Amino acid sequence: MTRTTQEWQAADAAHFLHPFTDFQSLARKGSRVITRAENIYLWDSDGHKLLDAMSGLWCVNVGYGQRSLIDAATKQLQELPFYNAFFQTATPPAIALAELLAEVAPPGFEHVFFAGSGSEGNDTVVRMVRRYWDLLGQPQRQVIISRDNAYHGSTMAGASLGGMAGMHAQGGLPIPGIEHIGQPYWWQHGRPQGLSREAFGLQAAHWLEQRILAIGPDKVAAFIGEPVQGAGGVIIPPATYWPEVQRICDQYGILVVSDEVICGFGRTGSWFGCQTQGFRPDLMTFAKGVTSGYIPLGGVLVGERIARVLIERGGEFNHGYTYSGHPVACAVGLANVGLIRSLGLVERVRDDLGPYLAQVYASLADHPLVGDAETCGLMGALLLVKDKAQGTAFPEALEIGMVCRGHCFREGLVMRAVGDRMIVAPPLVITRAQIDEMAALIRRCLDLTLADAQREGWLH
Ligand code: PXG
């Protein structure tokens, strides 16, 4: 189907309601239509090439155009395009993927519940956690604690678990029984108070303890968090944070849920982000990187503490989706996890690409607009500031991140802006030379943004 960009944009504006989008504004500007991709590059309908430093939407871990994933999907579509996992049935790809995920997960994870997305995975988490405490005779343990500015999806439970104020403002959220504490973002809270990064990490963990005590420990079911907050702006917690959170949850017997939708499947240099951050969750939500986004799939890895209760205490868990264990999605998942393994991508991020990105980011930190540069594995964030020496932020209304993002698109780079944080999470197949290419584009876009700021007088 070939149409001009203008024809695509007109049809798009007439019929397609995009996610997280101001419909009128998009219709005015027209959407960017992406038509093909290879390796770490995208092309739009005008033939404009872009380096995709966001892996689609944090998901194309193995890069675009991987033959083994395409072949796995094609073969499964021909053999058995669909069958469900309800009513005592199963399909070989779903069984085999559950087995493989148990193999790559940290010790103590032997069971998987499949869903269609990360949001559905987190809805499953809420129901499973409450079911667990019910079966143990503690039905009053209902409350799940999460963090401000967390992202856990867009369904009612996912958006409630998430701490995005703009989402809570629409549709009567959060649902009952979900509470939020502050996020472990040193630059936002810690620095002005003069705490070291490590001391701030402990303080942020103690907010959890304070909240548990305020609610009553016997009412708290679980704590959920992303090992590194992704959509919130690549917020990398101080190294002290997660181990202290773990200690507190252990002390009060509270379940720990790691939302691995972004951090899972190698992103941080371990199979799962909790391994990089040093904690042992009871449940792990996954999606995105499990199929490298080639086809929708998500779910929950269930630790033995919970699995044993669900299985041995018996009774039906009244929960599931038509596409739980979809054979084509699971076949792609098998090929994808197999490819991550055979290419040694997790080790490459840990030993080579992650340290290299950290080095490159350290050199970007000398740019006049960059107040802070941080990485964790192949996630990176640059904080744009008005005055480096004073650590002064640009006024929010300037939308400095969006100014920079505009330059990125024009220069051929997809980099996200979250407020004043410019973030990347490139495919794990990126090479050192391509990291250099990305860094040169980033520097060029920072320079163009700085030139805007100087010209417009934003620096005064
Ligand atoms: N948990 C986390 C940690 C996520 O990042 C979800 C759950 C929900 O997954 P699904 O598959 O239901 O979308 C996500 C999704 C962004 C952005 O702007 C991030 C996500 C989705 C859309 C946009 O960075 N993450």
Side-chain angles (χ1 to χ4, degrees), residues 64-77 294 332 335:
Y64 300 96
Q66 292 287 1
R67 201 66 240 171
S68 61
L69 276 66
I70 298 161
D71 289 345
T74 309
K75 183 164 172 286
Q76 189 59 44
L77 280 165
Y294 279 46
V332 174

Side-chain angles (χ1 to χ4, degrees), residues 291-312:
T291 55
S292 285
Y294 279 46
I295 197 162
L297 179 65
V300 185
L301 273 150
V302 183
E304 285 306 279
R305 172 179 173 187
I306 293 175
R308 292 266 68 87
V309 170
L310 290 179
I311 296 163
E312 285 163 16

Side-chain angles (χ1 to χ4, degrees), residues 1 20 30 63-64 66 104 120 139 179 236 256 283 313 346 370 388 403 422 426:
M1 217 181 347
F20 280 90
Y64 300 96
Q66 292 287 1
V104 298
E120 287 181 5
E179 302 223 2
I236 304 166
V256 178
L283 293 169
R313 302 257 166 162
V346 179
V370 174
K388 248 173 121 109
V403 172
M422 300 307 301

Side-chain angles (χ1 to χ4, degrees), residues 228-276:
V228 174
Q229 283 166 262
V234 180
I235 309 295
I236 304 166
T240 46
Y241 178 74
W242 273 111
E244 185 63 5
V245 164
Q246 175 86 60
R247 189 196 64 72
I248 292 164
C249 290
D250 288 349
Q251 182 179 334
Y252 297 100
I254 292 163
L255 298 169
V256 178
V257 184
S258 184
D259 184 334
E260 298 277 354
V261 168
I262 284 178
C263 292
F265 301 94
R267 173 63 55 198
T268 70
S270 309
W271 274 96
F272 293 93
C274 58
Q275 296 167 305
T276 303

Side-chain angles (χ1 to χ4, degrees), residues 20 54 57-58 116-120 122 151-154 226 228 230-232 259-263 285 287-288 297 416 418 423:
F20 280 90
M54 282 308 301
L57 203 48
W58 317 87
S117 67
S119 299
E120 287 181 5
N122 280 327
Y151 190 76
H152 296 296
S154 248
E226 304 154 75
V228 174
D259 184 334
E260 298 277 354
V261 168
I262 284 178
C263 292
T285 318
K288 296 189 188 276
L297 179 65
R416 279 283 314 277
V418 178
I423 62 185

Side-chain angles (χ1 to χ4, degrees), residues 183-243:
Q183 59 179 337
Y185 185 23
W186 185 50
W187 278 87
Q188 182 182 295
H189 300 290
R191 222 171 117 83
Q193 294 158 33
L195 288 178
S196 71
R197 210 180 150 85
E198 289 69 30
F200 172 71
L202 292 176
Q203 183 189 69
H206 292 153
W207 296 334
L208 173 61
E209 184 161 34
Q210 287 157 16
R211 186 62 63 89
I212 290 169
L213 293 172
I215 297 165
D218 63 328
K219 295 197 179 62
V220 180
F223 174 71
I224 184 167
E226 304 154 75
V228 174
Q229 283 166 262
V234 180
I235 309 295
I236 304 166
T240 46
Y241 178 74
W242 273 111

